[in-house]
Structures are given as structure tokens and as C-alpha cells.
Amino acid sequence: MSKKKLGTAIIITVIVVPLILMFVFKPSFTAKGAVEKHFEYDDTLHYINQIEAGAFEAWVYEDRQEELYKTFLVKKEGFFYESNHSTYVEKKDDSARKPSQ
């Protein structure tokens, strides 16, 4: 193999292959970006808070339409963030918690 062909192969391997992988896997460079790519995320959610939880960040949102609180766990993997876990809790009316007098 000539030096020119070898150089071209190295350039393709070093530059093009990572670009293709980034296009396919669509990594997130921010924690918020990872949350927004999660399949449970919806643009109608209202941000409430972000909580540090060990190696994770928990992003808490309110879904006013379905009356739920949704939590997305985000973890940093190398240079990128990913959010593979989410959960939700139903909102409860405060009157249900107060004892009757």
C-alpha cells in the first residue's frame, strides 16, 4: 500500500468514522440535551428542579396535562451525557392529606 493510500485510510478512520458514529448515536453534550432526547420527554413539560444524586443528576419536571411529576436520571459517560431512566409520580391534592376537623 502506498503512503498516500495509507494516509487517506488513516484520515478516513480518524475523522469520518467518529462523525458517522455521532450522527447515528446522536450523543448529548449537556445534561439538558440528554433529557430532551429521552422518549418520555415532551415540550409541554415544565422544569421544576435538578438534584444531584451520586453519579446521576435527577431532572424533575411537571406534566400539567396528565397531572404527573416526571423525573429523568442523567449520567455523564466520558464527554457525553445520557438519560436512560425515567419515572413519574401522580400529583396528589393537598386536601386529601389534611385530617378532617
Side-chain angles (χ1 to χ4, degrees):
M1 184 180 251
S2 71
K3 289 182 180 182
K4 192 172 188 177
K5 287 183 180 181
L6 181 62
T8 304
I10 290 173
I11 289 173
I12 289 173
T13 303
V14 171
I15 296 174
V16 175
V17 171
L19 289 175
I20 291 170
L21 291 174
M22 287 180 67
F23 178 76
V24 171
F25 292 110
K26 299 177 185 173
S28 295
F29 295 99
T30 64
K32 184 178 180 182
V35 169
E36 291 174 350
K37 290 180 182 176
H38 195 281
F39 70 94
E40 287 286 330
Y41 180 81
D42 184 356
D43 289 338
T44 61
L45 297 178
H46 298 277
Y47 173 79
I48 295 179
N49 200 2
Q50 174 188 355
I51 303 164
E52 299 276 333
F56 292 91
E57 294 178 14
W59 287 63
V60 183
Y61 288 82
E62 179 183 16
D63 187 337
R64 294 179 180 165
Q65 293 174 346
E66 296 183 30
E67 296 188 1
L68 300 171
Y69 292 108
K70 292 187 176 185
T71 303
F72 300 90
L73 291 180
V74 179
K75 185 174 183 180
K76 187 170 186 180
E77 294 288 336
F79 295 110
F80 308 112
Y81 291 86
E82 61 181 26
S83 178
N84 295 327
H85 306 286
S86 69
T87 187
Y88 66 90
V89 177
E90 293 181 14
K91 292 171 69 174
K92 299 291 181 183
D93 187 6
D94 285 339
S95 63
R97 293 186 208 143
K98 295 179 183 176
S100 59
Q101 297 178 350

